[in-house]
Amino acid sequence: MKELVVISGKGGTGKTSVVAALARLAGNCLLADCDVDAADLHLVLAPRLGEPRDFSGRSQAILDAGRCTSCGLCAEHCRFDALAMDPPRVDPIACEGCGLCVRLCPEEALSMEPVVNGHWWISETDWGPLVHARLGVAEDNSGKLVTLVRNEARRLAQERALPLMLVDGAPGIGCPVIASLSGASMVLMVTEPTVAGRHDLSRVLDLVRHFRLPFAVCVNKHDLSRQQTRSIEEEAQAAGALFVATVRYDPAITAAMVEGRSIIDVTHKGAATDLVDLWKRVEAALDAIPAGH
């Protein structure tokens, strides 16, 4: 099984639209949405949702008011100001789950319990199963949730003997992106021909080369600035990209998103032809990568 991870240096470059098109062109594959902070691949693929499953990435202090004597020892030492004594209570937003208060409490009135930070699903699409998740508002540990999604997706792909795992990765270069890249066969970076897009791409290139992963670059809406596109192509080729592909600006992509569909489903012209060419190059590059890479 080969794993293609699609990432971008920033949000809004069209990464998910590219993934949706590749999913449509690849056919039977395993899909994983690892952009758990803002998961939206399901909006385009319209899956048949599976049962939601809880995700817990941390624990939180719980106070037993009946045992608390309001000595104030826990509140005095909590560096996050998550505890108060009048009346005794724990602020669930401020609590970081470090557990120091539990160790200090002489009455054992505090305990640590797992909290639900989000949910994840195994859903079905017309092009293969989709493993996706949603992190709760202001919740952390998205890297752990990404790892859970990837592990479940990999397990399911092996169980169903699917030849390709297509991952919609997180934008940027932080922990969720690193978790998205783990075990990838190839990385496709989607950028746009702007100063910000070029800057963010350079950071992503450094990250991917650090992990020594084969990578390709796609310049979305390349015709908005041909000068920036040429600069990106030169930088990517100098960095060792397998290839640099371009996709033209096309309002049909936005129109397809509004309908909750991939552009491949609504037209065979414009950017759709560019995406077909992109998939052919991706498929050839994946075939050239040795199995087990």
Side-chain angles (χ1 to χ4, degrees):
M1 180 187 67
K2 300 292 180 66
E3 295 185 26
L4 173 67
V5 181
V6 184
I7 60 175
S8 60
K10 58 183 282 294
T13 61
K15 169 177 59 66
T16 298
S17 295
V18 170
V19 172
L22 296 183
R24 177 68 176 82
L25 294 166
N28 194 28
C29 63
L30 192 290
L31 303 164
D33 191 347
C34 289
D35 188 2
V36 297
D37 290 285
D40 52 12
L41 185 59
H42 63 285
L43 299 177
V44 185
L45 297 180
R48 297 171 290 281
L49 291 178
E51 290 296 321
R53 311 178 193 202
D54 291 343
F55 162 71
S56 177
R58 65 181 180 90
S59 295
Q60 180 177 290
I62 302 297
L63 176 67
D64 182 350
R67 305 188 67 166
C68 178
T69 60
S70 299
C71 69
L73 191 63
C74 58
E76 177 185 347
H77 288 85
C78 179
R79 63 182 301 176
F80 305 107
D81 296 324
L83 294 125
M85 291 294 104
D86 188 21
R89 65 187 185 278
V90 177
D91 184 343
I93 296 179
C95 179
E96 290 289 326
C98 68
L100 177 63
C101 58
V102 176
R103 296 176 61 186
L104 292 175
C105 182
E107 304 298 329
E108 298 183 351
L110 288 155
S111 60
M112 300 299 295
E113 295 185 7
V115 294
V116 175
N117 304 117
H119 299 87
W120 62 281
W121 294 260
I122 296 178
S123 302
E124 298 292 335
T125 76
D126 292 337
W127 307 284
L130 168 65
V131 183
H132 55 121
R134 180 184 301 147
L135 197 64
V137 176
E139 293 288 357
D140 56 5
N141 287 323
S142 57
K144 289 184 178 181
L145 182 52
V146 169
T147 299
L148 184 150
V149 169
R150 283 187 60 83
N151 288 342
E152 288 297 326
R154 190 176 289 120
R155 178 193 62 78
L156 190 60
Q158 294 173 345
E159 181 181 293
R160 301 194 185 186
L162 297 172
L164 175 65
M165 180 168 149
L166 181 57
V167 178
D168 185 359
I173 59 172
C175 180
V177 183
I178 295 172
S180 298
L181 295 175
S182 175
S185 303
M186 175 180 162
V187 179
L188 175 64
M189 291 176 275
V190 179
T191 188
E192 56 188 8
T194 63
V195 174
R198 183 182 172 191
H199 172 266
D200 290 337
L201 175 66
S202 67
R203 299 194 305 157
V204 176
L205 286 172
D206 289 341
L207 176 66
V208 173
R209 287 191 299 172
H210 173 77
F211 289 106
R212 301 179 181 178
L213 295 171
F215 68 91
V217 174
C218 171
V219 185
N220 193 27
K221 298 172 281 191
H222 75 95
D223 44 346
L224 296 184
S225 176
R226 299 188 187 279
Q227 179 181 354
Q228 289 288 353
T229 297
R230 284 193 296 271
S231 297
I232 290 171
E233 288 177 343
E234 292 170 359
E235 182 178 346
Q237 289 167 354
L242 297 176
F243 64 83
V244 179
T246 58
V247 178
R248 75 194 78 177
Y249 171 74
D250 191 343
I253 292 181
T254 303
M257 283 193 296
V258 171
E259 295 180 17
R261 304 166 69 189
S262 164
I263 186 176
I264 303 300
D265 295 313
V266 301
T267 182
H268 299 290
K269 301 183 294 183
T273 62
D274 299 334
L275 288 163
V276 170
D277 291 338
L278 170 62
W279 167 243
K280 290 178 180 177
R281 301 181 74 178
V282 166
E283 189 175 30
L286 284 170
D287 288 341
I289 295 174
H293 185 281

